[in-house]
Amino acid sequence: MIQKLRPYLPTAIIAIFLTYCGVQYLTGDKGFFSQETRQVELAEKQKLLADLAAERQDLEARARYLRTDNLSKELLEERARVLLGLNAPNEYVIRDHIAPARNS
């Protein structure tokens, strides 16, 4: 019986391999039917990238003003007040839940 099927063995192996490749093309991680999922992930990653770029620009601007050649007294005073929790005698401070600063 095996002798009769022996000539068809290479053809069967190739057919199984092609079936596997076809299924992966259609349903795999980078397959044809998963394109919508990749588009959603891409949109999420682009939004995250834009948020991080804006945060980086803000941090770079703050760092620029804190350098010794370009020191901004107002920014330095603001950071000191936030970190130390101080205020001037003629000021009123209304505290709200403030997330801890990530850059301090």
Side-chain angles (χ1 to χ4, degrees), residues 38-52:
R38 287 193 317 265
Q39 293 296 331
V40 170
E41 288 178 14
L42 178 63
E44 290 173 358
K45 300 292 182 182
Q46 286 177 337
K47 183 183 181 310
L48 178 63
L49 178 63
D51 292 344
L52 289 175

Side-chain angles (χ1 to χ4, degrees), residues 11-75:
T11 306
I13 291 173
I14 292 173
I16 292 170
F17 177 74
L18 289 176
T19 303
Y20 173 78
C21 290
V23 168
Q24 288 300 315
Y25 169 75
L26 293 175
T27 62
D29 287 342
K30 301 198 184 319
F32 184 73
F33 293 130
S34 65
Q35 183 174 3
E36 184 176 326
T37 305
R38 287 193 317 265
Q39 293 296 331
V40 170
E41 288 178 14
L42 178 63
E44 290 173 358
K45 300 292 182 182
Q46 286 177 337
K47 183 183 181 310
L48 178 63
L49 178 63
D51 292 344
L52 289 175
E55 182 180 353
R56 179 181 176 159
Q57 286 179 347
D58 179 51
L59 291 175
E60 285 177 352
R62 288 175 176 260
R64 189 176 333 114
Y65 288 125
L66 289 175
R67 291 194 182 109
T68 56
D69 61 338
N70 187 5
L71 188 62
S72 169
K73 290 183 182 180
E74 290 82 18
L75 185 61

Side-chain angles (χ1 to χ4, degrees), residues 70-88:
N70 187 5
L71 188 62
S72 169
K73 290 183 182 180
E74 290 82 18
L75 185 61
L76 183 61
E77 184 180 352
E78 174 195 348
R79 291 303 303 152
R81 286 181 182 205
V82 168
L83 291 176
L84 299 174
L86 299 176
N87 61 324

